[in-house]
Amino acid sequence: DLHAALRHCHRSYIRSNGPLMRSVYRGQYLSVEEFNSLRSIWTSNNPTITLTTFGSTSLNPDVAMGFLV
């Protein structure tokens, strides 16, 4: 199942000694209000944004930008 596959990938990544934090990019349209809300989170003392759904992400920002056109 998907959860088991993600758990396996996560464990493999942790064992690989890769960086613990990684930037990924996701292209998505936002309203001005949504953008301002995210901006206020980003400038807070704890700039953590949590997604509660599975989204398509990429290590390449150009791929994410392709979803905006």
Side-chain angles (χ1 to χ4, degrees):
D1 75 328
L2 179 59
H3 183 264
L6 288 172
R7 182 176 35 212
H8 173 75
C9 288
H10 178 259
R11 287 181 180 161
S12 296
Y13 181 75
I14 295 299
R15 288 187 197 120
S16 74
N17 293 323
L20 293 180
M21 295 294 290
R22 176 169 279 211
S23 293
V24 294
Y25 304 91
R26 180 174 185 252
Q28 178 178 334
Y29 286 107
L30 297 173
S31 69
V32 173
E33 293 81 16
E34 291 170 320
F35 179 78
N36 288 334
S37 175
L38 287 174
R39 184 186 304 182
S40 70
I41 293 169
W42 183 252
T43 58
S44 71
N45 291 334
N46 186 18
T48 301
I49 299 169
T50 303
L51 299 176
T52 57
T53 61
F54 289 105
S56 175
T57 60
S58 173
L59 296 174
N60 182 340
D62 293 330
V63 171
M65 293 299 286
F67 287 97
L68 298 178
V69 288

